[in-house]
Amino acid sequence: MTQTRTVSRNKLFGIPLPAGHTGVDLIISALRIIIVALIIIGAGNTLLEGRFTFEQWLALLFAGLAQGSIYALIALGYTLVYGILRMINFAHGDVFMAGAFTTVFLANSFRQSGFLDSQPLLAILILMGFAALVSMTVAVLLERIAYRPLRNAPRLVPLITAIGASFFIQYTFRGLFGSGFKAYPTVAFLRGTFSVGSINVPIAQLFVFVSAIVLMICLYWLVERTRIGKAMRSVSEDKEVATLMGVNIDLIIVFTFAIGGALAGAAGVINGLFRPQGVNFFMGFFPGIKAFTAAVLGGIGNIPGAMLGGMFLGVIEAIGPNLVLNGLGIPSANQLKDVIAFTMLVLVLIFRPQGILGERLSAEKA
Amino acid sequence: MGIHWRRLRQRQLSKRVQAGSRFLPTTGINPVRPGLLPVHDDHAQEWIIEEIGMTRFLFALIVIVLLGVSLAGAVLAQEPTCEDAIGCVTLAPDDPVTIAWMQTVSGPTSFFGDDAVGGIEIAMEQRDYTVLGREIELIGEDSLCNPEGGQTAAQRLVSDPQVVAIIGPSCSSAAVPAIPIASNAGFLMVSPMTTSSALTNPDRDAGGVWMPGFFRTVYNNLLEGAVAAQFAYEELDARTMATIHDGSNYAFDLALATERNFVEFGGEITFSGAVNVGDTDMSAILTNIASNPPDVLFFPIFQPEGDYLVAQAKFIPGLEDVIMLTADALLVEGFPIDSGEAALGVMLTGPAVTGEPYEAFLELWFDKYGEAPPSGFHAHSFDAANMVLDAIEAVAITGEDGTTLVGRQALRDAFANYRDFEGLTGNLSCSPTGDCGAVESMVIFIITEAEVFEGKWPPTILWKPGSEESE
């Protein structure tokens, strides 16, 4: 009797499934096979066709890594806040914008005064510090005004608030600086290229990649090796117990937002030096979404995961359209690069629902 | 209590008397000939005659006569009548003239809207916000850059019968649903920046959406595409071309028009693709193009994607010798400044918006807003506003009592009859299907060091259609 019931429960279109499998499992397996097959066919076609040289692929790889580094830097802020509060701070992309947009004026005055060319490294550090300060202020105010009153509200409430806050920040900055586009000055030493084998890699790409790695390591060290990092991890584990142990939760949460904001501000300047154009009040929106995707891809709440997710997404976006979609004969492949990015997200999540480096999502964390 | 009660009754009584005398003239009661009274109640009749008395009757009679004379006079001599086929906007003596803009003033495309609204406001300011001796009331509606926005904004504006004309929308995608709404409501709609060829094409079968009442002061993509293709093929001796659009109605339509013309000349299209609005990394599409480098890369896309494309093309091996040709979407003062050295040698198609009047306009803009215009359509908007105001002045009829009528069909006709209107963007003449863009002023610009490093604007003109020699 029991056996019959088990069998009847695991049927798909009337066909009995192997023991322990459900229809959902089968569909997911089929999805895995289809997506992987499409990718292999597309990539195989493109490579056999030989349209792109090895150097071009390498150039794409480096461009993707650099773009991914920007995503990663923003993703760190998402993952940090999620790790502590289990809340998706959708306004984080706009915190990034706040720093980048405000600092563009300082950067241009540095260029005009000649400071940027005479002391480029010092100037860049000052710019990053200033942007970090601006973004940090915005992030801390955001936490204090928009999120703290809702900390014990149902989870959807702060999410919607975050979207509202995102608009608020955008239009505040539009009111301050207008809706036109600004651009960062180009720094002389970032303009050149260096050779790796037979290809020339722009130094700006290396700069953004190295900066992202350095900032990620600093953040990782902060969270894993310092006293306040320990407090952050304890709040992340269990707020009540952390309180009992004498951790000032409010302070830790403000600190988390401050660090995330400062990173976003620094990312804004790094982004500005890497891709000087397109600074305007809406610049945080798309990178914000991509960075969130990157954070999920890497395993949200996990710092190296955010880094890896960002790089992965950047590389996929750069290589994917040419490698897979061209091979499948899809016209206007580049327009579908988001499709590639999100297909990869789906692919990773159906193999590893917790993300590339994600920990188990226990009931209380999820 | 008792006293109160009495007072109340007295007051009610006196009120009744007043009411009786006041209503007397309009009810047509003539006490001199009581037989004509509508007799319902003899008591009431007596009461009226008793209460009012003879002097009051005479007074009332005079009032009636005076009123009648003045009313008759107004009807016969002063009130202008609307003889327009689709109706008029009636402006009472103290009414302002309501002009509406619908532009994208929020979201990622708000730089278009701000650009247009700025141009419109400067045009109004130059006339002290006065037309027909009346104040101009400028209202606005956010039409975004998508069909939903265009639909909503148009619906809201046509629901106000006092709106004389609509200046907008900003985007072709918003214009597609807005055109039938405005047209069916009898409105005049003048767009300063929608260039899609479908908008002024009345042929439904060919995808056209034009309807009466829609005009634009910007040129048609077909024209710009023809100029771009001719320049590429004949002047640059290009035989292969790649195009990139951004999925917007404008860019897709323009890329397509250019491709068609280029193929007609005998050229070959090696690649046609698109980037997404919001992309920052252009290396994938540029590498794709570099795998089979064309002579010319035509990319009619906007800031910031256009900036990124120009800046990153420098680093893509294989694109060194490709001529970069873009369109008026990047004819923005910020483009050479933002793109820096990478913009050197980039060519643009666009209207020759140059000369002293334009420089004077730019100065006004700078004084008002403190920075350069955010996009390249402020001059078209300025012209649109002036053309609308001139048309209103031409067709308005004011009666002796000060009431003004603006015929809606007359306004449309006045627009369609514009010939060589001297605007900032050239001499504008309107076609019967709404194309007013200055056709002769389409030129090719080139970005030189002066634009990048010295802030020279508008850029250097490289070539004019019809001219044999390039400068």
Side-chain angles (χ1 to χ4, degrees):
Chain A
M1 193 62 199
T2 339
Q3 211 173 358
T4 329
R5 212 184 290 146
T6 323
V7 170
S8 69
R9 205 189 297 143
N10 294 340
K11 267 185 181 172
L12 185 71
F13 305 126
I15 307 157
L17 298 172
H21 282 65
T22 62
V24 176
D25 285 337
L26 196 79
I27 290 172
I28 286 191
S29 306
L31 206 60
R32 286 174 187 168
I33 293 165
I34 290 169
I35 293 179
V36 171
L38 281 178
I39 289 170
I40 291 173
I41 294 170
N45 276 349
T46 311
L47 293 178
L48 286 179
E49 197 187 337
R51 183 167 174 187
F52 299 98
T53 61
F54 179 68
E55 284 75 21
Q56 282 174 323
W57 287 122
L58 270 186
L60 279 181
L61 176 72
F62 284 115
L65 279 176
Q67 181 65 40
S69 304
I70 299 291
Y71 293 157
L73 277 174
I74 308 173
L76 289 176
Y78 270 109
T79 225
L80 206 58
V81 168
Y82 186 86
I84 306 290
L85 281 180
R86 308 274 167 259
M87 172 204 141
I88 295 157
N89 178 13
F90 262 118
H92 190 69
D94 301 295
V95 172
F96 160 82
M97 176 276 292
F101 204 175
T102 312
T103 312
V104 77
F105 299 98
L106 185 66
N108 280 316
S109 68
F110 276 4
R111 187 204 47 195
Q112 270 164 10
S113 68
F115 182 53
L116 192 64
D117 288 322
S118 60
Q119 295 283 341
L121 279 177
L122 182 64
I124 288 174
L125 280 179
I126 293 175
L127 290 177
M128 280 166 75
F130 179 71
L133 199 70
V134 172
S135 288
M136 188 194 278
T137 313
V138 172
V140 169
L141 285 176
L142 189 66
E143 193 274 335
R144 186 66 195 84
I145 296 166
Y147 299 152
R148 195 184 293 182
L150 301 171
R151 198 177 292 160
N152 295 319
R155 298 178 51 136
L156 267 182
V157 175
L159 183 75
I160 302 298
T161 309
I163 294 171
S166 159
F167 282 120
F168 182 83
I169 297 173
Q170 278 173 23
Y171 288 96
T172 305
F173 275 81
R174 183 191 152 171
L176 286 174
F177 305 136
S179 59
F181 290 93
K182 304 277 181 290
Y184 273 81
T186 46
V187 185
F189 81 89
L190 292 176
R191 241 177 263 158
T193 56
F194 70 98
S195 302
V196 179
S198 56
I199 74 153
N200 290 323
V201 179
I203 290 176
Q205 291 185 358
L206 185 76
F207 164 76
V208 61
F209 185 70
V210 171
S211 316
I213 298 279
V214 168
L215 283 175
M216 195 277 286
I217 290 172
C218 290
L219 184 68
Y220 192 72
W221 172 81
L222 181 93
V223 172
E224 297 293 330
R225 293 279 180 277
T226 61
R227 223 177 121 77
I228 194 149
K230 196 184 264 180
M232 284 164 79
R233 281 179 287 136
S234 74
V235 173
S236 161
E237 285 289 324
D238 192 321
K239 284 201 200 72
E240 281 172 22
V241 176
T243 318
L244 291 175
M245 294 296 145
V247 176
N248 182 344
I249 295 193
D250 281 344
L251 189 74
I252 294 302
I253 290 175
V254 167
F255 183 76
T256 308
F257 271 88
I259 290 292
L263 273 174
V269 171
I270 293 169
N271 177 56
L273 297 171
F274 168 55
R275 296 212 187 294
Q277 299 86 16
V279 179
N280 95 331
F281 75 97
F282 209 74
M283 68 181 291
F285 181 74
F286 289 111
I289 288 186
K290 293 283 169 61
F292 172 63
T293 312
V296 173
L297 202 57
I300 193 152
N302 183 304
I303 291 169
M307 200 71 199
L308 206 65
M311 303 277 183
F312 183 74
L313 193 66
V315 170
I316 289 298
E317 275 190 358
I319 291 183
N322 287 339
L323 183 66
V324 180
L325 295 182
N326 266 339
L328 292 174
I330 294 172
S332 203
N334 199 69
Q335 220 176 358
L336 296 174
K337 96 183 188 185
D338 287 351
V339 173
I340 281 283
F342 289 106
T343 309
M344 282 298 171
L345 176 72
V346 170
L347 186 72
V348 167
L349 294 185
I350 56 181
F351 279 107
R352 275 187 72 80
Q354 67 275 49
I356 301 174
L357 293 185
E359 316 144 43
R360 76 213 138 70
L361 284 176
S362 66
E364 121 241 14
K365 274 197 174 188
Chain B
M1 276 304 270
I3 299 163
H4 263 254
W5 177 244
R6 242 198 327 263
R7 269 196 204 153
L8 205 67
R9 275 210 43 95
Q10 271 175 356
R11 220 181 276 161
Q12 277 175 340
L13 275 174
S14 62
K15 256 190 190 167
R16 217 171 140 197
V17 172
Q18 281 170 5
S21 62
R22 196 168 66 229
F23 286 133
L24 193 64
T26 47
T27 46
I29 299 169
N30 189 343
V32 184
R33 288 190 291 168
L36 290 178
L37 278 174
V39 182
H40 308 293
D41 181 355
D42 285 346
H43 278 292
Q45 197 182 331
E46 280 167 20
W47 177 80
I48 290 170
I49 293 171
E50 264 174 32
E51 291 281 325
I52 294 169
M54 205 54 200
T55 27
R56 283 195 174 190
F57 269 128
L58 283 174
F59 181 69
L61 205 67
I62 291 164
V63 169
I64 297 167
V65 169
L66 282 178
L67 247 171
V69 166
S70 64
L71 272 175
V75 169
L76 290 176
Q78 292 184 348
E79 170 106 346
T81 47
C82 176
E83 285 165 3
D84 197 88
I86 53 173
C88 298
V89 184
T90 309
L91 302 166
D94 295 333
D95 280 355
V97 178
T98 310
I99 312 272
W101 51 256
M102 51 183 273
Q103 305 286 347
T104 166
V105 289
S106 68
T109 51
S110 52
F111 58 95
F112 291 139
D114 288 353
D115 198 59
V117 174
I120 296 165
E121 283 180 352
I122 288 177
M124 303 280 176
E125 266 168 32
Q126 282 197 336
R127 300 177 180 230
D128 290 325
Y129 277 92
T130 312
V131 67
L132 303 171
R134 291 158 185 272
E135 194 193 334
I136 296 173
E137 191 190 6
L138 184 64
I139 61 172
E141 211 42 74
D142 188 355
S143 59
L144 301 172
C145 199
N146 57 39
E148 297 81 4
Q151 166 126 2
T152 315
Q155 290 285 16
R156 282 203 55 173
L157 289 177
V158 301
S159 69
D160 181 351
Q162 288 305 102
V163 172
V164 181
I166 300 171
I167 303 175
S170 321
C171 299
S172 298
S173 47
V176 171
I179 288 173
I181 295 170
S183 181
N184 290 334
F187 279 61
L188 170 71
M189 185 157 83
V190 186
S191 171
M193 56 167 81
T194 54
T195 57
S196 166
S197 57
L199 299 183
T200 50
N201 181 358
D203 184 1
R204 290 281 174 286
D205 297 330
V209 297
W210 182 81
M211 286 176 78
F214 178 75
F215 295 89
R216 61 179 166 203
T217 54
V218 73
Y219 37 77
N220 191 317
N221 273 344
L222 295 177
L223 173 77
E224 192 171 2
V227 172
Q230 188 194 352
F231 173 71
Y233 193 87
E234 291 184 350
E235 290 301 313
L236 300 175
D237 284 325
R239 293 297 172 264
T240 52
M241 177 187 271
T243 64
I244 296 177
H245 65 88
D246 62 5
S248 71
N249 230 322
Y250 158 84
F252 176 66
D253 193 59
L254 182 50
L256 202 68
T258 309
E259 283 179 11
R260 279 190 190 143
N261 281 295
F262 192 68
V263 170
E264 260 174 42
F265 275 113
E268 187 200 344
I269 303 299
T270 56
F271 176 89
S272 71
V275 296
N276 300 301
V277 172
D279 280 359
T280 54
D281 183 8
M282 304 293 167
S283 52
I285 193 164
L286 288 172
T287 305
N288 201 329
I289 291 169
S291 70
N292 181 12
D295 295 334
V296 172
L297 171 60
F298 182 62
F299 56 107
I301 59 175
F302 293 93
Q303 281 195 303
E305 292 83 18
D307 297 339
Y308 292 135
L309 199 77
V310 169
Q312 292 171 32
K314 294 283 152 193
F315 293 105
I316 304 291
L319 291 182
E320 297 84 0
D321 301 327
V322 176
I323 297 169
M324 305 284 280
L325 178 63
T326 179
D328 52 315
L330 282 182
L331 193 59
V332 185
E333 196 170 345
F335 163 64
I337 298 167
D338 290 358
S339 299
E341 280 175 10
L344 290 177
V346 171
M347 300 172 191
L348 305 99
T349 61
V353 185
T354 49
E356 246 167 58
Y358 182 63
E359 274 156 32
F361 171 86
L362 280 184
E363 241 167 65
L364 283 175
W365 184 290
F366 204 86
D367 289 345
K368 187 165 156 62
Y369 299 105
E371 57 177 2
S375 189
F377 297 95
H378 41 273
H380 298 95
S381 311
F382 179 84
D383 287 350
N386 277 322
M387 288 170 84
V388 165
L389 295 178
D390 281 1
I392 291 173
E393 280 187 334
V395 304
I397 305 163
T398 304
E400 282 172 34
D401 67 338
T403 305
T404 301
L405 293 177
V406 182
R408 292 200 180 276
Q409 184 61 46
L411 199 59
R412 288 177 174 186
D413 292 344
F415 235 87
N417 288 328
Y418 264 123
R419 294 289 175 274
D420 292 326
F421 175 91
E422 282 180 26
L424 284 183
T425 56
N427 293 333
L428 294 99
S429 301
C430 293
S431 79
T433 57
D435 265 323
C436 306
V439 288
E440 82 285 358
S441 65
M442 187 66 66
V443 295
I444 304 288
F445 294 101
I446 185 162
I447 303 290
T448 64
E449 294 192 349
E451 285 81 25
V452 174
F453 300 114
E454 291 153 31
K456 175 176 177 283
W457 197 259
T460 314
I461 293 176
L462 179 70
W463 180 77
K464 280 181 180 164
S467 68
E468 289 301 308
E469 288 292 307
S470 56
E471 284 174 35

